[in-house]
Amino acid sequence: MDGYTSKIYAAAAGAALYFGASKYVEDSKVRLLVGPSDENKELKKLLNQCPSLSENSRLVPTPYLCSGMLQTVYGTQIALRKDRASNIKYVRESKVMSDGGTVSLDWYPEQPSDDVTSIAIVVPGLGGSAYEYHIRCVVRRMYESIKDMRIVVCNHRGSGRTPLTSPRLYNAYDTSDLTDVLNELSAKFPHARLVCIGFSLGANLITRYLGDHGHSARLSAAVAVSCPYDTEVAGRALSAPGLLNDWLFQPNLMATVKRLLRRNIDVIKSSPLNYDIDAIMKASRMSEIDDLVTARTYGHKDCWAYYRAASSVEYVEKIRKPFLAINAEDDPVTPISGVPKDKFANNPCTALALVKHGGHIGFFTGVMSPKIWYLDPVAEFVSAVLE
């Protein structure tokens, strides 16, 4: 190959690389779907104070995490990471519910005084807790962004080493524990404005709570990250075969859920429903656990009936408080087909931020040490609400 030909090939390769990179960056634009702003100028004003959601904003995903499953799996693999962005220590408070069940409230940096002016309540997803990396990052970022704010993570029954004191576990649609916690915080700290940040299953609960309570909701605003909305669509996606799903994501999820069950096996065995413990421990898919445990606990025929009952799609249009949703179009757990874009487009209180790449609770950007992108819009939106 002569020098001239080599230059032609090099130029062609350079052009291909340039246009490929340009397309990669162009595809990283954040799309914001907002309800009729002329009906609710408050939401538009809030969004104008969020630079990370502006017209030119982007989430350029980490190059080696260029698919939704890679983003998702990476997030599960670093769940226990400790760095400056996540280095926090909680103060725990246990709360016994009316049926004898227990949820734990992990406060940062400390429990609030009576005159606290703002509290952020963080609700983890399935199998999640206050100790996950992304939760700790959100908590720390909120504290650093908003003066004198107190943040509390509401750990579900049995999660985050919360003792299971009732055979009744949590699910994707029962908002009674969340409602009780919000009512108690509102009564105990009457001067505080409350905001909620939910992830996945926790986001689904917040969506249903806001839709149920409308104008009377105890919250000033909420943010939902990777909410499934149509939980039947999410359930089928979570059950779909695939290399990374079969060998990495599902095993991680199942290990977390089974660890919770093993720690509380005596309480679970005490249930009059006589759960098939052997079958539960042999389960390899979350749908099997939901068939054997969740559906039976809440009186559903099977996991699919439970998933249909848990949907929050019809609740979006009933939300009457400022609500920011963040979803990725390549989310392998909560597919974009289950996100009710039409409901967001017609509700003046809601905004949906969509990115092309981000996976499920991933949204990693940067190369050497990937950072979580949604920390910026979450902090900006909540700060604007509390101004």
PDB file of all heavy atoms in Angstrom, residues 181-211:
ATOM      1  N   VAL A 181     -45.851   6.920  56.969  1.00  0.00           N
ATOM      2  CA  VAL A 181     -44.600   7.644  57.237  1.00  0.00           C
ATOM      3  C   VAL A 181     -44.761   9.127  56.901  1.00  0.00           C
ATOM      4  O   VAL A 181     -44.369  10.011  57.682  1.00  0.00           O
ATOM      5  CB  VAL A 181     -43.433   7.033  56.439  1.00  0.00           C
ATOM      6  CG1 VAL A 181     -42.209   7.948  56.475  1.00  0.00           C
ATOM      7  CG2 VAL A 181     -43.070   5.658  56.987  1.00  0.00           C
ATOM      8  N   LEU A 182     -45.346   9.433  55.757  1.00  0.00           N
ATOM      9  CA  LEU A 182     -45.529  10.830  55.355  1.00  0.00           C
ATOM     10  C   LEU A 182     -46.480  11.558  56.314  1.00  0.00           C
ATOM     11  O   LEU A 182     -46.234  12.721  56.676  1.00  0.00           O
ATOM     12  CB  LEU A 182     -46.069  10.902  53.930  1.00  0.00           C
ATOM     13  CG  LEU A 182     -45.117  10.420  52.833  1.00  0.00           C
ATOM     14  CD1 LEU A 182     -45.795  10.475  51.465  1.00  0.00           C
ATOM     15  CD2 LEU A 182     -43.839  11.249  52.818  1.00  0.00           C
ATOM     16  N   ASN A 183     -47.536  10.898  56.727  1.00  0.00           N
ATOM     17  CA  ASN A 183     -48.464  11.527  57.673  1.00  0.00           C
ATOM     18  C   ASN A 183     -47.777  11.820  59.003  1.00  0.00           C
ATOM     19  O   ASN A 183     -47.981  12.886  59.599  1.00  0.00           O
ATOM     20  CB  ASN A 183     -49.675  10.615  57.912  1.00  0.00           C
ATOM     21  CG  ASN A 183     -50.629  10.585  56.731  1.00  0.00           C
ATOM     22  OD1 ASN A 183     -50.576  11.454  55.857  1.00  0.00           O
ATOM     23  ND2 ASN A 183     -51.486   9.589  56.687  1.00  0.00           N
ATOM     24  N   GLU A 184     -46.958  10.883  59.452  1.00  0.00           N
ATOM     25  CA  GLU A 184     -46.269  11.083  60.730  1.00  0.00           C
ATOM     26  C   GLU A 184     -45.241  12.210  60.632  1.00  0.00           C
ATOM     27  O   GLU A 184     -45.142  13.055  61.530  1.00  0.00           O
ATOM     28  CB  GLU A 184     -45.582   9.791  61.175  1.00  0.00           C
ATOM     29  CG  GLU A 184     -44.868   9.940  62.512  1.00  0.00           C
ATOM     30  CD  GLU A 184     -44.322   8.621  63.034  1.00  0.00           C
ATOM     31  OE1 GLU A 184     -45.114   7.694  63.255  1.00  0.00           O
ATOM     32  OE2 GLU A 184     -43.093   8.547  63.222  1.00  0.00           O
ATOM     33  N   LEU A 185     -44.468  12.239  59.547  1.00  0.00           N
ATOM     34  CA  LEU A 185     -43.475  13.303  59.378  1.00  0.00           C
ATOM     35  C   LEU A 185     -44.153  14.670  59.276  1.00  0.00           C
ATOM     36  O   LEU A 185     -43.671  15.665  59.831  1.00  0.00           O
ATOM     37  CB  LEU A 185     -42.633  13.051  58.126  1.00  0.00           C
ATOM     38  CG  LEU A 185     -41.685  11.851  58.176  1.00  0.00           C
ATOM     39  CD1 LEU A 185     -40.971  11.686  56.841  1.00  0.00           C
ATOM     40  CD2 LEU A 185     -40.671  12.006  59.309  1.00  0.00           C
ATOM     41  N   SER A 186     -45.264  14.721  58.574  1.00  0.00           N
ATOM     42  CA  SER A 186     -45.990  15.980  58.419  1.00  0.00           C
ATOM     43  C   SER A 186     -46.514  16.485  59.756  1.00  0.00           C
ATOM     44  O   SER A 186     -46.478  17.690  60.040  1.00  0.00           O
ATOM     45  CB  SER A 186     -47.152  15.777  57.433  1.00  0.00           C
ATOM     46  OG  SER A 186     -47.857  16.974  57.237  1.00  0.00           O
ATOM     47  N   ALA A 187     -46.999  15.574  60.588  1.00  0.00           N
ATOM     48  CA  ALA A 187     -47.522  15.967  61.897  1.00  0.00           C
ATOM     49  C   ALA A 187     -46.400  16.333  62.873  1.00  0.00           C
ATOM     50  O   ALA A 187     -46.518  17.280  63.657  1.00  0.00           O
ATOM     51  CB  ALA A 187     -48.361  14.821  62.476  1.00  0.00           C
ATOM     52  N   LYS A 188     -45.294  15.593  62.800  1.00  0.00           N
ATOM     53  CA  LYS A 188     -44.193  15.803  63.741  1.00  0.00           C
ATOM     54  C   LYS A 188     -43.383  17.049  63.412  1.00  0.00           C
ATOM     55  O   LYS A 188     -42.841  17.713  64.303  1.00  0.00           O
ATOM     56  CB  LYS A 188     -43.297  14.565  63.731  1.00  0.00           C
ATOM     57  CG  LYS A 188     -42.248  14.538  64.821  1.00  0.00           C
ATOM     58  CD  LYS A 188     -41.517  13.196  64.830  1.00  0.00           C
ATOM     59  CE  LYS A 188     -40.482  13.132  65.942  1.00  0.00           C
ATOM     60  NZ  LYS A 188     -39.775  11.831  65.936  1.00  0.00           N
ATOM     61  N   PHE A 189     -43.288  17.364  62.094  1.00  0.00           N
ATOM     62  CA  PHE A 189     -42.502  18.517  61.651  1.00  0.00           C
ATOM     63  C   PHE A 189     -43.386  19.426  60.789  1.00  0.00           C
ATOM     64  O   PHE A 189     -43.236  19.469  59.557  1.00  0.00           O
ATOM     65  CB  PHE A 189     -41.273  18.046  60.871  1.00  0.00           C
ATOM     66  CG  PHE A 189     -40.423  17.053  61.612  1.00  0.00           C
ATOM     67  CD1 PHE A 189     -40.437  15.707  61.263  1.00  0.00           C
ATOM     68  CD2 PHE A 189     -39.627  17.451  62.674  1.00  0.00           C
ATOM     69  CE1 PHE A 189     -39.663  14.785  61.950  1.00  0.00           C
ATOM     70  CE2 PHE A 189     -38.854  16.536  63.382  1.00  0.00           C
ATOM     71  CZ  PHE A 189     -38.876  15.194  63.019  1.00  0.00           C
ATOM     72  N   PRO A 190     -44.296  20.137  61.421  1.00  0.00           N
ATOM     73  CA  PRO A 190     -45.300  20.906  60.675  1.00  0.00           C
ATOM     74  C   PRO A 190     -44.734  22.040  59.829  1.00  0.00           C
ATOM     75  O   PRO A 190     -45.403  22.520  58.907  1.00  0.00           O
ATOM     76  CB  PRO A 190     -46.227  21.442  61.775  1.00  0.00           C
ATOM     77  CG  PRO A 190     -45.378  21.437  63.022  1.00  0.00           C
ATOM     78  CD  PRO A 190     -44.487  20.256  62.882  1.00  0.00           C
ATOM     79  N   HIS A 191     -43.503  22.485  60.134  1.00  0.00           N
ATOM     80  CA  HIS A 191     -42.910  23.594  59.377  1.00  0.00           C
ATOM     81  C   HIS A 191     -42.091  23.098  58.176  1.00  0.00           C
ATOM     82  O   HIS A 191     -41.580  23.920  57.405  1.00  0.00           O
ATOM     83  CB  HIS A 191     -42.016  24.431  60.291  1.00  0.00           C
ATOM     84  CG  HIS A 191     -42.716  24.955  61.505  1.00  0.00           C
ATOM     85  ND1 HIS A 191     -43.767  25.855  61.439  1.00  0.00           N
ATOM     86  CD2 HIS A 191     -42.541  24.688  62.835  1.00  0.00           C
ATOM     87  CE1 HIS A 191     -44.199  26.132  62.654  1.00  0.00           C
ATOM     88  NE2 HIS A 191     -43.476  25.434  63.518  1.00  0.00           N
ATOM     89  N   ALA A 192     -41.961  21.797  58.045  1.00  0.00           N
ATOM     90  CA  ALA A 192     -41.100  21.240  56.990  1.00  0.00           C
ATOM     91  C   ALA A 192     -41.886  20.965  55.712  1.00  0.00           C
ATOM     92  O   ALA A 192     -43.014  20.464  55.756  1.00  0.00           O
ATOM     93  CB  ALA A 192     -40.457  19.952  57.483  1.00  0.00           C
ATOM     94  N   ARG A 193     -41.266  21.308  54.588  1.00  0.00           N
ATOM     95  CA  ARG A 193     -41.815  20.907  53.294  1.00  0.00           C
ATOM     96  C   ARG A 193     -41.211  19.551  52.948  1.00  0.00           C
ATOM     97  O   ARG A 193     -40.005  19.342  53.072  1.00  0.00           O
ATOM     98  CB  ARG A 193     -41.489  21.940  52.231  1.00  0.00           C
ATOM     99  CG  ARG A 193     -42.086  23.309  52.524  1.00  0.00           C
ATOM    100  CD  ARG A 193     -41.775  24.292  51.419  1.00  0.00           C
ATOM    101  NE  ARG A 193     -42.472  23.934  50.169  1.00  0.00           N
ATOM    102  CZ  ARG A 193     -42.256  24.531  49.006  1.00  0.00           C
ATOM    103  NH1 ARG A 193     -41.350  25.494  48.915  1.00  0.00           N
ATOM    104  NH2 ARG A 193     -42.933  24.171  47.934  1.00  0.00           N
ATOM    105  N   LEU A 194     -42.050  18.642  52.503  1.00  0.00           N
ATOM    106  CA  LEU A 194     -41.625  17.281  52.221  1.00  0.00           C
ATOM    107  C   LEU A 194     -41.538  17.052  50.709  1.00  0.00           C
ATOM    108  O   LEU A 194     -42.443  17.436  49.961  1.00  0.00           O
ATOM    109  CB  LEU A 194     -42.601  16.267  52.828  1.00  0.00           C
ATOM    110  CG  LEU A 194     -42.951  16.420  54.308  1.00  0.00           C
ATOM    111  CD1 LEU A 194     -43.916  15.304  54.730  1.00  0.00           C
ATOM    112  CD2 LEU A 194     -41.704  16.403  55.179  1.00  0.00           C
ATOM    113  N   VAL A 195     -40.455  16.421  50.289  1.00  0.00           N
ATOM    114  CA  VAL A 195     -40.318  16.003  48.890  1.00  0.00           C
ATOM    115  C   VAL A 195     -39.915  14.531  48.887  1.00  0.00           C
ATOM    116  O   VAL A 195     -39.300  14.036  49.841  1.00  0.00           O
ATOM    117  CB  VAL A 195     -39.273  16.841  48.125  1.00  0.00           C
ATOM    118  CG1 VAL A 195     -39.697  18.283  48.022  1.00  0.00           C
ATOM    119  CG2 VAL A 195     -37.900  16.731  48.784  1.00  0.00           C
ATOM    120  N   CYS A 196     -40.271  13.826  47.832  1.00  0.00           N
ATOM    121  CA  CYS A 196     -39.959  12.402  47.732  1.00  0.00           C
ATOM    122  C   CYS A 196     -39.130  12.128  46.492  1.00  0.00           C
ATOM    123  O   CYS A 196     -39.357  12.737  45.438  1.00  0.00           O
ATOM    124  CB  CYS A 196     -41.246  11.577  47.662  1.00  0.00           C
ATOM    125  SG  CYS A 196     -41.504  10.494  49.072  1.00  0.00           S
ATOM    126  N   ILE A 197     -38.189  11.192  46.626  1.00  0.00           N
ATOM    127  CA  ILE A 197     -37.395  10.715  45.498  1.00  0.00           C
ATOM    128  C   ILE A 197     -37.470   9.196  45.518  1.00  0.00           C
ATOM    129  O   ILE A 197     -37.067   8.562  46.503  1.00  0.00           O
ATOM    130  CB  ILE A 197     -35.925  11.170  45.604  1.00  0.00           C
ATOM    131  CG1 ILE A 197     -35.848  12.688  45.746  1.00  0.00           C
ATOM    132  CG2 ILE A 197     -35.123  10.701  44.403  1.00  0.00           C
ATOM    133  CD1 ILE A 197     -34.566  13.182  46.367  1.00  0.00           C
ATOM    134  N   GLY A 198     -38.015   8.616  44.454  1.00  0.00           N
ATOM    135  CA  GLY A 198     -38.191   7.174  44.431  1.00  0.00           C
ATOM    136  C   GLY A 198     -37.475   6.519  43.272  1.00  0.00           C
ATOM    137  O   GLY A 198     -37.291   7.124  42.207  1.00  0.00           O
ATOM    138  N   PHE A 199     -37.081   5.270  43.477  1.00  0.00           N
ATOM    139  CA  PHE A 199     -36.387   4.497  42.450  1.00  0.00           C
ATOM    140  C   PHE A 199     -37.144   3.211  42.163  1.00  0.00           C
ATOM    141  O   PHE A 199     -37.494   2.464  43.079  1.00  0.00           O
ATOM    142  CB  PHE A 199     -34.965   4.161  42.920  1.00  0.00           C
ATOM    143  CG  PHE A 199     -34.096   5.372  43.098  1.00  0.00           C
ATOM    144  CD1 PHE A 199     -34.068   6.055  44.306  1.00  0.00           C
ATOM    145  CD2 PHE A 199     -33.323   5.848  42.050  1.00  0.00           C
ATOM    146  CE1 PHE A 199     -33.278   7.177  44.475  1.00  0.00           C
ATOM    147  CE2 PHE A 199     -32.527   6.973  42.203  1.00  0.00           C
ATOM    148  CZ  PHE A 199     -32.511   7.647  43.416  1.00  0.00           C
ATOM    149  N   SER A 200     -37.417   2.974  40.878  1.00  0.00           N
ATOM    150  CA  SER A 200     -38.029   1.728  40.425  1.00  0.00           C
ATOM    151  C   SER A 200     -39.323   1.430  41.207  1.00  0.00           C
ATOM    152  O   SER A 200     -40.275   2.195  41.121  1.00  0.00           O
ATOM    153  CB  SER A 200     -37.009   0.587  40.538  1.00  0.00           C
ATOM    154  OG  SER A 200     -37.438  -0.553  39.851  1.00  0.00           O
ATOM    155  N   LEU A 201     -39.362   0.341  41.965  1.00  0.00           N
ATOM    156  CA  LEU A 201     -40.559   0.023  42.743  1.00  0.00           C
ATOM    157  C   LEU A 201     -40.940   1.168  43.670  1.00  0.00           C
ATOM    158  O   LEU A 201     -42.121   1.493  43.838  1.00  0.00           O
ATOM    159  CB  LEU A 201     -40.341  -1.271  43.538  1.00  0.00           C
ATOM    160  CG  LEU A 201     -41.474  -1.756  44.440  1.00  0.00           C
ATOM    161  CD1 LEU A 201     -41.509  -3.280  44.471  1.00  0.00           C
ATOM    162  CD2 LEU A 201     -41.303  -1.228  45.879  1.00  0.00           C
ATOM    163  N   GLY A 202     -39.932   1.813  44.289  1.00  0.00           N
ATOM    164  CA  GLY A 202     -40.208   2.959  45.158  1.00  0.00           C
ATOM    165  C   GLY A 202     -40.821   4.112  44.392  1.00  0.00           C
ATOM    166  O   GLY A 202     -41.696   4.818  44.897  1.00  0.00           O
ATOM    167  N   ALA A 203     -40.392   4.314  43.142  1.00  0.00           N
ATOM    168  CA  ALA A 203     -40.968   5.357  42.286  1.00  0.00           C
ATOM    169  C   ALA A 203     -42.415   5.021  41.939  1.00  0.00           C
ATOM    170  O   ALA A 203     -43.271   5.904  41.848  1.00  0.00           O
ATOM    171  CB  ALA A 203     -40.141   5.507  41.015  1.00  0.00           C
ATOM    172  N   ASN A 204     -42.692   3.740  41.747  1.00  0.00           N
ATOM    173  CA  ASN A 204     -44.063   3.302  41.456  1.00  0.00           C
ATOM    174  C   ASN A 204     -44.988   3.614  42.634  1.00  0.00           C
ATOM    175  O   ASN A 204     -46.126   4.064  42.457  1.00  0.00           O
ATOM    176  CB  ASN A 204     -44.075   1.809  41.150  1.00  0.00           C
ATOM    177  CG  ASN A 204     -45.278   1.379  40.336  1.00  0.00           C
ATOM    178  OD1 ASN A 204     -45.458   1.796  39.194  1.00  0.00           O
ATOM    179  ND2 ASN A 204     -46.126   0.549  40.920  1.00  0.00           N
ATOM    180  N   LEU A 205     -44.497   3.372  43.840  1.00  0.00           N
ATOM    181  CA  LEU A 205     -45.290   3.666  45.032  1.00  0.00           C
ATOM    182  C   LEU A 205     -45.572   5.161  45.161  1.00  0.00           C
ATOM    183  O   LEU A 205     -46.694   5.568  45.480  1.00  0.00           O
ATOM    184  CB  LEU A 205     -44.567   3.163  46.286  1.00  0.00           C
ATOM    185  CG  LEU A 205     -44.435   1.642  46.438  1.00  0.00           C
ATOM    186  CD1 LEU A 205     -43.568   1.297  47.640  1.00  0.00           C
ATOM    187  CD2 LEU A 205     -45.810   0.990  46.576  1.00  0.00           C
ATOM    188  N   ILE A 206     -44.561   5.974  44.894  1.00  0.00           N
ATOM    189  CA  ILE A 206     -44.745   7.428  44.983  1.00  0.00           C
ATOM    190  C   ILE A 206     -45.743   7.905  43.937  1.00  0.00           C
ATOM    191  O   ILE A 206     -46.607   8.754  44.212  1.00  0.00           O
ATOM    192  CB  ILE A 206     -43.391   8.145  44.804  1.00  0.00           C
ATOM    193  CG1 ILE A 206     -42.490   7.867  46.014  1.00  0.00           C
ATOM    194  CG2 ILE A 206     -43.588   9.652  44.626  1.00  0.00           C
ATOM    195  CD1 ILE A 206     -41.067   8.351  45.828  1.00  0.00           C
ATOM    196  N   THR A 207     -45.658   7.361  42.723  1.00  0.00           N
ATOM    197  CA  THR A 207     -46.596   7.741  41.664  1.00  0.00           C
ATOM    198  C   THR A 207     -48.025   7.411  42.065  1.00  0.00           C
ATOM    199  O   THR A 207     -48.946   8.227  41.893  1.00  0.00           O
ATOM    200  CB  THR A 207     -46.238   7.003  40.353  1.00  0.00           C
ATOM    201  OG1 THR A 207     -44.879   7.305  40.004  1.00  0.00           O
ATOM    202  CG2 THR A 207     -47.147   7.440  39.217  1.00  0.00           C
ATOM    203  N   ARG A 208     -48.228   6.226  42.598  1.00  0.00           N
ATOM    204  CA  ARG A 208     -49.577   5.823  43.028  1.00  0.00           C
ATOM    205  C   ARG A 208     -50.059   6.677  44.206  1.00  0.00           C
ATOM    206  O   ARG A 208     -51.223   7.064  44.267  1.00  0.00           O
ATOM    207  CB  ARG A 208     -49.588   4.340  43.387  1.00  0.00           C
ATOM    208  CG  ARG A 208     -49.430   3.419  42.173  1.00  0.00           C
ATOM    209  CD  ARG A 208     -49.382   1.962  42.591  1.00  0.00           C
ATOM    210  NE  ARG A 208     -50.651   1.530  43.170  1.00  0.00           N
ATOM    211  CZ  ARG A 208     -51.573   0.814  42.540  1.00  0.00           C
ATOM    212  NH1 ARG A 208     -51.390   0.453  41.276  1.00  0.00           N
ATOM    213  NH2 ARG A 208     -52.680   0.446  43.155  1.00  0.00           N
ATOM    214  N   TYR A 209     -49.154   6.970  45.144  1.00  0.00           N
ATOM    215  CA  TYR A 209     -49.530   7.815  46.281  1.00  0.00           C
ATOM    216  C   TYR A 209     -49.994   9.185  45.810  1.00  0.00           C
ATOM    217  O   TYR A 209     -51.051   9.679  46.230  1.00  0.00           O
ATOM    218  CB  TYR A 209     -48.349   7.961  47.244  1.00  0.00           C
ATOM    219  CG  TYR A 209     -48.577   9.034  48.297  1.00  0.00           C
ATOM    220  CD1 TYR A 209     -49.323   8.763  49.438  1.00  0.00           C
ATOM    221  CD2 TYR A 209     -48.078  10.326  48.116  1.00  0.00           C
ATOM    222  CE1 TYR A 209     -49.566   9.755  50.387  1.00  0.00           C
ATOM    223  CE2 TYR A 209     -48.317  11.317  49.056  1.00  0.00           C
ATOM    224  CZ  TYR A 209     -49.066  11.027  50.191  1.00  0.00           C
ATOM    225  OH  TYR A 209     -49.322  12.024  51.106  1.00  0.00           O
ATOM    226  N   LEU A 210     -49.227   9.820  44.938  1.00  0.00           N
ATOM    227  CA  LEU A 210     -49.597  11.151  44.453  1.00  0.00           C
ATOM    228  C   LEU A 210     -50.894  11.113  43.654  1.00  0.00           C
ATOM    229  O   LEU A 210     -51.728  12.019  43.766  1.00  0.00           O
ATOM    230  CB  LEU A 210     -48.470  11.726  43.595  1.00  0.00           C
ATOM    231  CG  LEU A 210     -47.230  12.208  44.353  1.00  0.00           C
ATOM    232  CD1 LEU A 210     -46.112  12.548  43.383  1.00  0.00           C
ATOM    233  CD2 LEU A 210     -47.561  13.422  45.216  1.00  0.00           C
ATOM    234  N   GLY A 211     -51.081  10.081  42.846  1.00  0.00           N
ATOM    235  CA  GLY A 211     -52.316   9.960  42.095  1.00  0.00           C
ATOM    236  C   GLY A 211     -53.521   9.724  42.991  1.00  0.00           C
ATOM    237  O   GLY A 211     -54.605  10.251  42.745  1.00  0.00           O
TER     238      GLY A 211
END
